[in-house]
Amino acid sequence: MRVLVTGGAGYIGSHTLVELLTEGHEAFVFDNLSNGHEEALSRVKQLANKDFGFVKGDIRDGEALDKAFLEFKPEAVIHFAGLKAVGESVEQPLAYYENNVAGSVELLKAMGAHDCKKIVFSSSATVYGTPQYLPLDEDHPVSPVNPYGQTKLMVENILKDWAQDGRSATALRYFNPVGAHVSGRIGEDPHDIPNNLMPYIAQVAIGKREALQIFGDDYETRDGTGERDYIHVTDLANAHIAALGTMNEAAGFSVYNVGTGQGTTVKELLAAYGETVGQELPFETVQRRSGDVASSVASPKKANEALNWSATLSVHDATSSSWNWQAQNPDGYAQ
Ligand code: NAD
Ligand code: UDP
């Protein structure tokens, strides 16, 4: 299939491109590089041993989208482009509504103008808000607690309305993506101090940061630290390809959790990373981060059954691939 990938130069987009190209699909990347890396695209080409087009453009720019659609004539879109920092979304909500919501509307308009009828969208488990029960299934009520989560839910709702008359949309609600490509050639390269747990631990392991701050150890979990469902980025990438395979004229709108069904606490993840690196990693316990929940774990049953997809990689695969990437590229993509 000819697939336009918005945000393809980012963390999850670049890993998905490798799997997409390896599976024999053709790709074209549309990314404004606000948080992506052109170097990641060169490395994807080497890993997949296949070329693809790239345009530096913004999804809020209808003309740029039109040009890309005219040039590439995609049959489907995988839509990763957007802003993703929860804290920043509280400080700059309009930037989030503009990039994530208005940008997605522009993208759908371009798809309409060019008769492209399939889209896979990066949603997030954050749409569930505070869990009322665990594991979270897709019927759990949605109630995002920050502007970032609101943008994801809004786009899901827009897609629900859009996906009729032969158009189909699949929203994948990612749990916590982690790890890197097995080669260590591509991985997560945060532009700033990492907000997320695994890239922070990786920087502690390489000596860039002194110690992990554990945000609270008085939660109602096995060891008091927050529990999450960490999904390996390569498994996540493959969920997009599985989703594309199920989309047809009658498909309409679907939503799936993408997780493993297994919870891991902060202390467990830190210990697993330490085992990978061969030394215990330093930490200090600080107060809870506002907005964090004790536990978030997926029921991936719907995706397992309907997409015939399931996670195959372990937390250990995630820590070892993350370390492989971090050790080979201590400064990320910077040369
Ligand atoms: P990322 O920042 O690495 O990738 C996003 C890419 O989109 C970047 O390359 C960036 O340059 C590009 N981009 C941003 N705004 C754009 C715009 N207006 N026009 C064109 N390109 C634009 O993030 P990621 O971790 O790869 O996440 C991909 C998607 O998955 C995002 O939509 C994110 O919200 C969603 N998601 C991520 C996580 C996570 O923990 N990483 C969890 C759930 C959902
Ligand atoms: N966390 C932490 N220290 C950090 C970053 C995260 O203790 O520097 C904890 C956080 O409180 C949560 C878990 O790690 O329990 C996962 O956080 P992350 O930001 O990676 O993902 P989230 O689930 O919040 O999207």
Side-chain angles (χ1 to χ4, degrees):
M1 211 182 289
R2 299 170 65 78
V3 187
L4 184 113
V5 182
T6 75
Y11 170 46
I12 303 166
S14 56
H15 288 80
T16 303
L17 275 172
V18 174
E19 304 305 317
L20 200 61
L21 295 164
T22 309
E23 285 288 313
H25 296 284
E26 284 178 58
F28 189 97
V29 172
F30 190 93
D31 193 304
N32 69 1
L33 298 182
S34 59
N35 201 39
H37 303 268
E38 211 167 344
E39 173 64 16
L41 298 177
S42 311
R43 295 190 186 186
V44 166
K45 287 178 191 173
Q46 291 162 6
L47 286 171
N49 196 19
K50 199 167 163 186
D51 206 2
F52 56 84
F54 164 58
V55 161
K56 184 177 170 189
D58 196 298
I59 52 167
R60 292 166 294 175
D61 179 351
E63 271 180 37
L65 282 170
D66 259 342
K67 269 172 95 177
F69 274 81
L70 261 182
E71 184 181 337
F72 183 60
K73 300 186 174 52
E75 296 158 77
V77 171
I78 305 184
H79 177 31
F80 295 105
L83 305 179
K84 62 164 183 177
V86 170
E88 187 185 63
S89 81
V90 175
E91 284 155 24
Q92 303 173 40
L94 297 186
Y96 276 69
Y97 290 112
E98 199 176 68
N99 272 275
N100 295 6
V101 183
S104 296
V105 172
E106 277 308 317
L107 177 65
L108 293 174
K109 279 162 48 184
M111 289 176 69
H114 297 273
D115 203 30
C116 180
K117 294 182 168 175
K118 295 175 184 167
I119 185 167
V120 180
F121 170 62
S122 303
S123 189
S124 166
T126 188
V127 298
Y128 294 118
T130 306
Q132 294 175 11
Y133 59 84
L134 291 169
L136 291 154
D137 57 29
E138 292 81 355
D139 294 329
H140 185 283
V142 284
S143 179
V145 295
N146 52 62
Y148 168 68
Q150 292 288 2
T151 67
K152 292 293 172 190
L153 186 56
M154 283 178 180
V155 175
E156 283 194 9
N157 287 330
I158 291 167
L159 291 175
K160 227 179 263 173
D161 293 335
W162 175 86
Q164 49 183 323
D165 299 333
R167 294 185 288 266
S168 57
T170 299
L172 300 180
R173 291 178 179 160
Y174 311 161
F175 278 67
N176 289 58
V178 287
H181 189 265
V182 66
S183 64
R185 295 285 294 153
I186 57 170
E188 186 168 13
D189 181 11
H191 281 204
D192 246 326
I193 301 174
N195 289 312
N196 295 114
L197 181 61
M198 183 148 331
Y200 200 101
I201 296 177
Q203 294 198 0
V204 172
I206 199 89
K208 277 196 170 177
R209 317 237 162 245
E210 233 166 76
L212 174 71
Q213 279 85 48
I214 295 185
F215 299 147
D217 64 357
D218 55 354
Y219 286 105
E220 279 187 29
T221 57
R222 284 185 288 291
D223 58 21
T225 65
E227 180 187 39
R228 296 291 183 273
D229 186 334
Y230 294 97
I231 173 82
H232 195 294
V233 66
T234 300
D235 277 333
L236 176 55
N238 283 317
H240 294 79
I241 293 153
L244 274 183
T246 62
M247 293 169 77
N248 57 46
E249 298 227 328
F253 176 78
S254 313
V255 60
Y256 300 101
N257 286 339
V258 186
T260 65
Q262 301 296 320
T264 304
T265 67
V266 177
K267 282 191 173 164
E268 287 166 352
L269 195 72
L270 185 67
Y273 216 106
E275 267 172 40
T276 294
V277 176
Q279 65 180 84
E280 275 189 30
L281 297 171
F283 70 91
E284 54 174 337
T285 305
V286 299
Q287 52 179 326
R288 290 181 177 194
R289 182 171 66 180
S290 102
D292 275 355
V293 299
S295 206
S296 168
V297 178
S299 164
K301 200 165 168 253
K302 189 177 172 198
N304 296 163
E305 288 170 2
L307 300 181
N308 194 20
W309 167 91
S310 53
T312 58
L313 299 167
S314 64
V315 164
H316 177 74
D317 293 320
T319 56
S320 57
S321 60
S322 160
W323 179 236
N324 192 20
W325 151 254
Q326 185 70 60
Q328 281 187 48
N329 306 272
D331 297 316
Y333 290 110
Q335 306 272 336

